[in-house]
Amino acid sequence: MARLFRSSQPQLRALLSPAVVATGLLVGELAAGLVIVRRIRYTEIDWKAYMQEVQAVADGERDYTVIRANTGPLVYPAGFVWLFLGLHRLTGADPDCCRLPQTAVTESDRCVSGGGDIEMAQHIYLLLYLVTLAVVLEIYRVCRVPTWAWPLGCLSFRVHSLYLLRLFNDAPAMLCLYAFVAAYSHRCFALGAMFFSAALSLKMNALLFAPALALVTLKECGWVGAIVRAIPALALQALLAAPFLRANASGYFARAFDFTRAFEHRWSVNWAMLSPVTFGDPRFANALLGAHIALLGAFAHRKWCRNDGGLVGLLVSAFGGPSPLSSSPSIVARSTAITALVCNFIGIVTARSLHYQFYLFYFHSVPVLLWSTPLPVVVKLLVWMGIEAGYNVYPATPSSSTLLQASHVVLLIGLWLGDAGLAPVSYTHLTLPTKRIV
C-alpha cells in the first residue's frame, strides 16, 4: 500500500499543480455562472438606480448634487459614472425608463431594470467575475495558499449571487483592487498605483487599502519614488472627475467621498446583536474608528515595518531612498500581498456597518489571510465557514452577527500571532524579478 501511495505521488502533485487547479476552477466557474444566469431569477436591487444616475449624465447633467435615482443621490466617484454609462449603452437601457421623475412610464416589466438587456449585463458580470478570480488565484500562488484550499475562493452562494444576480458596483472595484495587490506583489508599483486609483474612482472602500499602499510604496520606492508614482494616479482621478469638478467641485467631493454617511441598523450584517440605539450612538462609531487606527498602528509598527525600525523608522529611512531587499523576491512578494490584504481586513473587522454586498470587499482574500496564521487547518476551515454562514442568514440576526464577528476576531488574532507575511519561508522554487519595475 505504501509503495502504491509513493508511486501515485507524482500524479497527485500534477493534479494539484497551480496551473491545473486554476484552469479547472475557471472552467467550472464559467459553467456554473452560465447555469446561474439562465436558471435562477435575477433580483433587481440597485442596477436600475445605477442606470438612472448615469442617464442624468447622458442627458448633460454634471452637478453631483442634482444627480439622483429612486434610491437617493449619486454617492459614487466619477469612475463609476463612466463605467456604468458604458454599460448603459451596451445593454441598451431605455432613456424613458431611466429618467426621473417617472411621469410617462410606469414600473412595468419593461422598465424594471431600466429597460435594457439585463441578461447581457449578467454575462458581462460573469466575465468580470472570471477575470477577478484569475487575478485572485495568482495572488493565492504568490502567497503560497495550498492548491487544495483554492476552491474556498469559489464556494460561496452569497458571492455568486452578488456578482450574477445583483450586479453591484462593488465587483468592478474589487477587480481593480486585486489587480493592485497582484501588481505590487510583482513590484510593478506605478501600474499598481493606477489600479488603486481606478478602484477609488469606482467606490470609496478602496481607502481601506491605502495605509498598506503608502507603507509598501515608501519602503520599496522611498519618498521621492512614492511621489513620482502618485502623480499619474492622482492625474487619473482628476481626469475622470474633471467635468464634475468644473460644474461643482465642492458638491462632487461632498457626495462622492462622503465620510458622514448614516447607516441603517436593519441592513447591518455585523452588528445585528446591538440595539438600534447603541448602533446609532456616535460614541460607538468613534470607538470603532479608534480601534481601526490602533490596530493599523500596531500591525504597521510591530509587523509590517519591524525590519525597518518600526513605523517611525520607515518614515525616516524612506528619505534616503528605497530599502534594500532583506529577503528573497518570493518572500517580499508574499509579504507585500499579505500586508495589503491584512490592512483591508482590519478595516472590515472595525467597520461601522457591513452590508451583504460588502462581502465582496474581502471574501476572496480570506484563504490568504487564513494561511498567514498558525491556526490548525480545522480551525481555519471553521473560521471560513463561520464567515460564510454569517452572510447567508437573511435578515441578519444577533446570532449570525455574533458568529460573523467572532470569526473575524479569531482570524485577526491568528494574523497577529502569525508571520503576517513577513517571517522567512523557504519557497525557493518561486522566482520573481529582483529589480524594481516602475
Side-chain angles (χ1 to χ4, degrees):
M1 182 63 106
R3 187 181 302 119
L4 179 62
F5 176 75
R6 284 195 297 270
S7 64
S8 65
Q9 281 185 325
Q11 292 84 356
L12 182 62
R13 282 196 297 268
L15 287 175
L16 292 178
S17 68
V20 171
V21 173
T23 301
L25 290 175
L26 289 169
V27 171
E29 286 296 270
L30 171 60
L34 291 173
V35 171
I36 291 171
V37 170
R38 294 176 183 177
R39 297 293 180 87
I40 302 180
R41 184 176 63 86
Y42 165 80
T43 302
E44 171 57 34
I45 297 181
D46 279 346
W47 178 265
K48 182 173 182 178
Y50 299 162
M51 296 298 100
Q52 289 172 332
E53 288 162 347
V54 300
Q55 181 63 54
V57 177
D59 290 339
E61 184 57 65
R62 297 295 183 267
D63 187 342
Y64 249 59
T65 62
V66 176
I67 303 171
R68 55 186 303 111
N70 60 338
T71 58
L74 173 60
V75 294
Y76 304 119
F80 161 87
V81 172
W82 304 124
L83 173 62
F84 279 85
L85 184 58
L87 293 174
H88 178 285
R89 301 281 171 77
L90 283 173
T91 57
D94 187 339
D96 288 334
C97 293
C98 297
R99 291 189 176 109
L100 289 175
Q102 296 279 339
T103 53
V105 180
T106 61
E107 291 296 317
S108 63
D109 291 341
R110 181 175 71 87
C111 290
V112 166
S113 295
D117 185 349
I118 198 63
E119 189 170 325
M120 176 181 285
Q122 289 179 279
H123 283 104
I124 292 172
Y125 263 68
L126 175 57
L127 177 61
L128 178 68
Y129 173 77
L130 293 173
V131 174
T132 301
L133 182 59
V135 175
V136 165
L137 293 178
E138 169 60 15
I139 295 173
Y140 289 178
R141 185 191 69 81
V142 168
C143 293
R144 312 314 301 164
V145 178
T147 51
W148 66 262
W150 287 16
L152 293 178
C154 304
L155 300 177
S156 173
F157 168 82
R158 178 65 65 186
V159 167
H160 284 89
S161 174
L162 293 171
Y163 269 96
L164 303 178
L165 304 177
R166 304 296 189 271
L167 308 182
F168 287 113
N169 68 318
D170 309 80
M174 289 313 301
L175 171 58
C176 293
L177 285 170
Y178 285 124
F180 144 69
V181 174
Y184 259 53
S185 69
H186 286 278
R187 308 178 67 73
C188 301
F189 301 114
L191 178 62
M194 292 296 285
F195 277 127
F196 175 83
S197 183
L200 184 58
S201 77
L202 293 169
K203 195 155 187 178
M204 202 167 57
N205 73 288
L207 291 174
L208 294 180
F209 285 86
L213 168 73
L215 284 180
V216 173
T217 308
L218 282 177
K219 181 183 295 189
E220 301 291 346
C221 306
W223 279 103
V224 174
I227 293 171
V228 168
R229 287 160 180 80
I231 291 173
L234 292 173
L236 176 62
Q237 291 289 322
L239 178 65
L240 293 171
F244 309 107
L245 294 175
R246 285 195 296 267
N248 183 350
S250 61
Y252 173 76
F253 286 112
R255 286 289 172 82
F257 300 99
D258 183 5
F259 292 95
T260 63
R261 194 178 309 165
F263 295 95
E264 295 185 48
H265 180 256
R266 63 180 177 136
W267 298 119
S268 180
V269 181
N270 57 331
W271 296 118
M273 79 286 282
L274 301 179
S275 69
V277 174
T278 302
F279 178 82
D281 193 327
R283 291 174 296 181
F284 176 63
N286 291 334
L288 289 174
L289 177 60
H292 188 184
I293 295 172
L295 285 168
L296 285 176
F299 271 86
H301 187 70
R302 298 294 299 274
K303 298 287 185 179
W304 305 330
C305 303
R306 68 186 181 195
N307 296 327
D308 303 280
L311 179 57
V312 176
L314 172 65
L315 296 176
V316 173
S317 64
F319 284 104
S323 302
L325 286 177
S326 57
S327 304
S328 69
S330 64
I331 295 177
V332 173
R334 179 173 180 263
S335 169
T336 298
I338 294 176
T339 296
L341 297 177
V342 172
C343 182
N344 177 63
F345 182 67
I346 289 172
I348 296 296
V349 176
T350 58
R352 178 70 176 80
S353 182
L354 293 176
H355 297 177
Y356 287 96
Q357 64 266 35
F358 295 175
Y359 195 17
L360 298 187
F361 291 177
Y362 69 113
F363 165 75
H364 286 110
S365 71
V366 172
V368 174
L369 299 174
L370 287 171
W371 266 267
S372 302
T373 74
L375 300 173
V377 171
V378 172
V379 177
K380 291 175 182 176
L381 296 177
L382 288 174
V383 169
W384 184 90
M385 288 188 288
I387 295 173
E388 176 68 13
Y391 280 95
N392 280 287
V393 176
Y394 177 80
T397 65
S399 297
S400 67
S401 288
T402 300
L403 174 62
L404 177 63
Q405 288 294 66
S407 301
H408 285 166
V409 170
V410 170
L411 178 51
L412 185 65
I413 292 173
L415 290 168
W416 180 258
L417 296 176
D419 59 38
L422 297 180
V425 285
S426 56
Y427 298 130
T428 55
H429 62 282
L430 174 62
T431 58
L432 292 172
T434 56
K435 64 180 180 179
R436 290 178 172 81
I437 304 174
V438 298

